[in-house]
Amino acid sequence: AFVGSAEFETDYMQVDYISYIPFKDQPSTPFNPSVSGYANLNEYPSVPTNAKKINKVANGTFDYLDKNNTSISGWKLEKYIDEEKPVNEVCYIDEGNGADNSKGLTIKDSGYTEQKIDAVYHNFKHDFSFNAKGKGTATIYYYSTSTLQSLKTLTIDIDSENFTSYSLELTAPENSQ
């Protein structure tokens, strides 16, 4: 819980300093590491460092299923209210039917899927790409920090019998979360 709930597989955090001060009258055991926890001023970078490129889409290869193989880790599988079929018939992993015979996520009829990507704030620049085939849309919503109001919506039309790569360079609008 130190940095919140992860809505991604990998991320990085650079820490400048950590200090722990117990509450008054709280029992604690002093810890004195053998290595100093302080960096000399000449050890700090003189210019900002570039963070490693990370993929904030969790389970983009659809490799991780829950222990019952009924849901896909990182993804919410849903169907619209007028869909009579169960969710697992309109949204499911299709082994060998992804790009290059990988696992693919099949969405059909009135099924849909979504994933929340957190920590995307004002002016956050990112590349978004995916491979898809079939006929439909992929939609990206940027939500406000204080309401469920969509600040910006981008829709990508998908209309191809073969896997096609879709790529966008995005910048999060003001008040994004």
Side-chain angles (χ1 to χ4, degrees):
F2 179 67
V3 293
S5 298
E7 299 282 356
F8 47 84
E9 290 176 22
T10 304
D11 206 345
Y12 302 92
M13 179 174 68
Q14 294 181 339
V15 179
D16 180 42
Y17 180 83
I18 295 177
S19 176
Y20 172 74
I21 301 170
F23 290 112
K24 185 178 179 181
D25 299 327
Q26 178 186 10
S28 63
T29 304
F31 174 69
N32 296 312
S34 59
V35 177
S36 169
Y38 297 95
N40 294 322
L41 289 177
N42 65 344
E43 294 179 278
Y44 286 95
S46 58
V47 295
T49 59
N50 288 327
K52 293 179 183 179
K53 190 172 186 177
I54 57 169
N55 183 358
K56 293 196 93 44
V57 175
N59 194 13
T61 57
F62 309 114
D63 285 332
Y64 306 109
L65 301 173
D66 75 0
K67 62 184 176 186
N68 300 316
N69 289 340
T70 57
S71 73
I72 305 165
S73 176
W75 296 90
K76 182 178 178 184
L77 306 178
E78 293 288 340
K79 64 178 187 167
Y80 289 101
I81 194 97
D82 60 347
E83 178 58 62
E84 295 179 11
K85 296 176 188 169
V87 171
N88 65 354
E89 289 184 25
V90 295
C91 294
Y92 55 87
I93 292 295
D94 205 352
E95 188 75 41
N97 197 28
D100 301 323
N101 294 319
S102 62
K103 291 180 181 178
L105 174 61
T106 296
I107 306 165
K108 61 183 188 176
D109 302 326
S110 292
Y112 70 93
T113 185
E114 64 181 45
Q115 183 173 134
K116 292 180 183 175
I117 301 174
D118 66 355
V120 176
Y121 300 105
H122 172 65
N123 281 337
F124 184 92
K125 295 181 187 319
H126 50 284
D127 298 323
F128 182 76
S129 62
F130 62 97
N131 296 319
K133 69 178 182 177
K135 188 162 182 64
T137 59
T139 307
I140 300 167
Y141 298 97
Y142 287 96
Y143 287 103
S144 167
T145 56
S146 59
T147 67
L148 293 178
Q149 173 190 0
S150 175
L151 300 173
K152 183 176 181 181
T153 303
L154 300 158
T155 302
I156 301 111
D157 291 320
I158 300 165
D159 189 2
S160 175
E161 291 182 19
N162 299 310
F163 276 103
T164 302
S165 181
Y166 298 86
S167 182
L168 297 164
E169 291 181 9
L170 306 170
T171 302
E174 190 171 347
N175 295 322
S176 292
Q177 186 176 349

